[in-house]
Every structure is written in structure tokens, then in C-alpha cells.
């Protein structure tokens, strides 16, 4: 049996999507177009919401913060993906890798919480319209958003500290689009049990709680829609919620695929494709 190389790794080499040379330029252009669409679309939405007083409502207030988080979320991942494709692989220090992992986890966590908050907001608007103004006050909205940012920071801090207390040795190549925890665990040369527990805790207690809030909220919304006598009223109410449900399904579905399964073995091409969905596609407005 070959003896394992225990040379300590202080930097990582990202190589995702570089094995097929003929696809580098097309993928670069596709990811760049997605990034421009995400940045311009979400920035435009924020400016529109801020500039139009008719949109100064709780729903658009939460949507503006979701747009801001999506821009930051995409900016954490996509520029480095473009660099990997342009340079046919790029080297990142462990400190830079940790910073990217922290920012990704922070913005992804805040995204989860904001989607759950927006579902609760829609539930309140549809199911308790007479109490909506008294429930979703400006103070309450700021409290919910602040809580999302604080919880996201705590989650990101704990996961980052836990992940980068590992020792990395041997091969430093990460065949993935960014410094995420599953591919990092494959490079560890020590006991990664605690880090894997953190992945499970994040997946089992954070995502399902948000998903439960969303499902329960929309269950009540659907029941309320079915009681609307006007077909036009039902269609209008449902169309308001349909885009949010689509974003929720894509975002949480891909995250569950990545985190609620066995992470042993090498990163597959399927993993990279799925990671593109939740890092490149979902932030597009």
C-alpha cells in the first residue's frame, strides 16, 4: 500500500471545470453573463425599491435585503470562478480560502433566514390582512432582518473556526468551484468527525427550520387562496407567491443535496454542477 504524503498544505489549488480546455471560454462567458445579470438586476431592484415610496412596504423591504445579500453572495464566489477558468486553475492561500468560506456561509445563511421571513410576511399579508399593519411594523421588520444577519454571522463564524482547525496535508488540489466544506474535508489528514458534525448540525437544524417555516406559511396561504371566491383574486394572490416558492425550491433543494449526504470520496462533476445552481443561478433576480 502506498504511503500517504503528509506534507502540510498552506494553500489550495482550485481547478474546477478546467479539465476540458474547449469549455473554458464558453463557461467563462456564461458565468460572466450570469454575474452581470445578478449584479445589475439586484442593484437595479434595490435602487427602484429605495427610490419609489410606493414600494416602502415590508415585502419590498425584505426583498431589497435579499437582493443585497444575493449580490454579495455571488460576488464571493463568481469572480474567483472566472479567475480559475481564465488562468486554467488558481492558487489561494489558506487565509483567503477561510475568508471566502466564511463569507459564503454568512450570506447563504442570511439568504435562508430571509426566505423564511418573506414566507412569514406573505402568510401574514394573506391570512391576517387586518392585523398585517400592526404585526409587520417598521420596528418588527428591522428586528427580523437584524436577527437574520446576527444568526448568519454566528453560523458562519462557528463553521469557519471549526473547519480551519483541521490540518490539511498531501494533495492541495480542490476540484470544486470554491472553498466549500465538503471538498475541504477530503483534504484533511486528521480526525474530521467534529467538522462533519457541524455540517450535519447546520443542515439538520438550520435549513429544516427555515424550510418548516416556509412550508407551514404556504400551507396556510394555499388554504386561504382556495377560500377566495374570485378566480382572478386567486390567480393574483398565487402569482405573488409563485416566484418566491420557485427560488426556495431551487436554493434549498441544491443545498440539501450537498449537505445532507455522505461527503466521502472525490468531488464529482455532478457536485460541481449542483454547486453552480446554488451559487450562480439562484442569486439571479
Amino acid at each position: 500500500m502506498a504511503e500517504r504524503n503528509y506534507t502540510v498544505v498552506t494553500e489550495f489549488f482550485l481547478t474546477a471545470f478546467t479539465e476540458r480546455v474547449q469549455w473554458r471560454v464558453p463557461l467563462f462567458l456564461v458565468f460572466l453573463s450570469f454575474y452581470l445579470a445578478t449584479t445589475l438586476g439586484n442593484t437595479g431592484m434595490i435602487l427602484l425599491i429605495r427610490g419609489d415610496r410606493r414600494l416602502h412596504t415590508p415585502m419590498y423591504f425584505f426583498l431589497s435585503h435579499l437582493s443585497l445579500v444575493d449580490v454579495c453572495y455571488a460576488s464571493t464566489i463568481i469572480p474567483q470562478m472566472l479567475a480559475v477558468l481564465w488562468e486554467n486553475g488558481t492558487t489561494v492561500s489558506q487565509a483567503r480560502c477561510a475568508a471566502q468560506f466564511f463569507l459564503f456561509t454568512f450570506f447563504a445563511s442570511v439568504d435562508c433566514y430571509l426566505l423564511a421571513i418573506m414566507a412569514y410576511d406573505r402568510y401574514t399579508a394573506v391570512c391576517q390582512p387586518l392585523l398585517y399593519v400592526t404585526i409587520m411594523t417598521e420596528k418588527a421588520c428591522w428586528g427580523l432582518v437584524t436577527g437574520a444577519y446576527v444568526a448568519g454571522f454566528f453560523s458562519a463564524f462557528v463553521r469557519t473556526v471549526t473547519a480551519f482547525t483541521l490540518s490539511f496535508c498531501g494533495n492541495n488540489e480542490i476540484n470544486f468551484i470554491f472553498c466549500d466544506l465538503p471538498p475541504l474535508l477530503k483534504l484533511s489528514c486528521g480526525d474530521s468527525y467534529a467538522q462533519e458534525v457541524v455540517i450535519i448540525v447546520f443542515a439538520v437544524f438550520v435549513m429544516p427550520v427555515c424550510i418548516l417555516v416556509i412550508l407551514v406559511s404556504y400551507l396556510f396561504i394555499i388554504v386561504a387562496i382556495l377560500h377566495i371566491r374570485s378566480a382572478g383574486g386567486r390567480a393574483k394572490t398565487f402569482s405573488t407567491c409563485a416566484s418566491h416558492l420557485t427560488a426556495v425550491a431551487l436554493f434549498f433543494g441544491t443545498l440539501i443535496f450537498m449537505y445532507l449526504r455522505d461527503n466521502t470520496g472525490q468531488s464529482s462533476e455532478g457536485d460541481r454542477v449542483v454547486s453552480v445552481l446554488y451559487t450562480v443561478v439562484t442569486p439571479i433576480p
Side-chain angles (χ1 to χ4, degrees):
M1 183 178 293
E3 188 174 331
R4 185 172 180 179
N5 181 4
Y6 283 97
T7 304
V8 176
V9 171
T10 58
E11 57 185 22
F12 304 99
F13 188 62
L14 299 175
T15 62
F17 299 119
T18 59
E19 61 270 18
R20 292 182 174 86
V21 179
Q22 68 274 20
W23 285 102
R24 283 175 54 201
V25 174
L27 285 175
F28 180 90
L29 295 176
V30 169
F31 291 154
L32 178 61
S33 64
F34 280 180
Y35 182 54
L36 291 176
T38 297
T39 305
L40 296 176
N42 284 295
T43 302
M45 189 175 299
I46 293 170
L47 293 176
L48 178 63
I49 292 172
R50 297 300 184 192
D52 191 341
R53 294 191 61 84
R54 292 172 299 178
L55 301 179
H56 291 183
T57 63
M59 181 179 74
Y60 288 104
F61 173 76
F62 297 133
L63 183 59
S64 67
H65 279 275
L66 184 67
S67 296
L68 174 63
V69 170
D70 282 344
V71 170
C72 298
Y73 180 69
S75 298
T76 301
I77 306 298
I78 301 179
Q80 184 166 279
M81 290 174 59
L82 297 176
V84 170
L85 291 169
W86 185 261
E87 301 171 7
N88 196 28
T90 188
T91 301
V92 295
S93 65
Q94 190 170 133
R96 181 178 170 185
C97 190
Q100 184 186 47
F101 177 71
F102 172 83
L103 291 173
F104 160 73
T105 305
F106 172 66
F107 292 123
S109 300
V110 175
D111 229 330
C112 291
Y113 296 127
L114 285 176
L115 289 172
I117 290 170
M118 291 175 69
Y120 173 72
D121 172 70
R122 291 300 81 209
Y123 155 76
T124 309
V126 174
C127 300
Q128 300 183 11
L130 299 179
L131 299 175
Y132 182 71
V133 177
T134 57
I135 295 175
M136 302 305 293
T137 62
E138 183 178 358
K139 183 178 180 180
C141 291
W142 275 109
L144 289 170
V145 167
T146 302
Y149 284 112
V150 171
F153 178 85
F154 176 75
S155 175
F157 180 78
V158 171
R159 295 186 76 216
T160 303
V161 170
T162 306
F164 285 87
T165 53
L166 279 170
S167 296
F168 303 101
C169 56
N171 181 22
N172 70 336
E173 182 177 317
I174 298 179
N175 194 359
F176 205 65
I177 64 174
F178 69 103
C179 292
D180 199 7
L181 195 48
L184 284 172
L185 288 176
K186 297 178 179 70
L187 302 182
S188 65
C189 53
D191 183 12
S192 61
Y193 176 76
Q195 286 74 12
E196 292 176 3
V197 169
V198 171
I199 295 179
I200 295 172
V201 168
F202 175 77
V204 173
F205 291 100
V206 176
M207 286 191 289
V209 167
C210 294
I211 292 172
L212 181 63
V213 171
I214 293 169
L215 290 179
V216 171
S217 297
Y218 275 100
L219 178 62
F220 282 107
I221 289 172
I222 291 171
V223 172
I225 290 175
L226 293 176
H227 283 85
I228 298 176
R229 295 182 179 180
S230 167
R234 287 197 299 269
K236 182 179 179 181
T237 305
F238 183 77
S239 64
T240 304
C241 305
S243 59
H244 182 244
L245 272 176
T246 303
V248 166
L250 182 60
F251 183 69
F252 283 105
T254 51
L255 284 179
I256 288 171
F257 175 83
M258 288 300 296
Y259 290 100
L260 285 182
R261 64 190 179 90
D262 184 16
N263 289 292
T264 58
Q266 298 299 316
S267 296
S268 66
E269 189 169 345
D271 290 348
R272 298 197 297 271
V273 172
V274 170
S275 65
V276 167
L277 291 177
Y278 68 79
T279 57
V280 179
V281 178
T282 56
I284 299 176

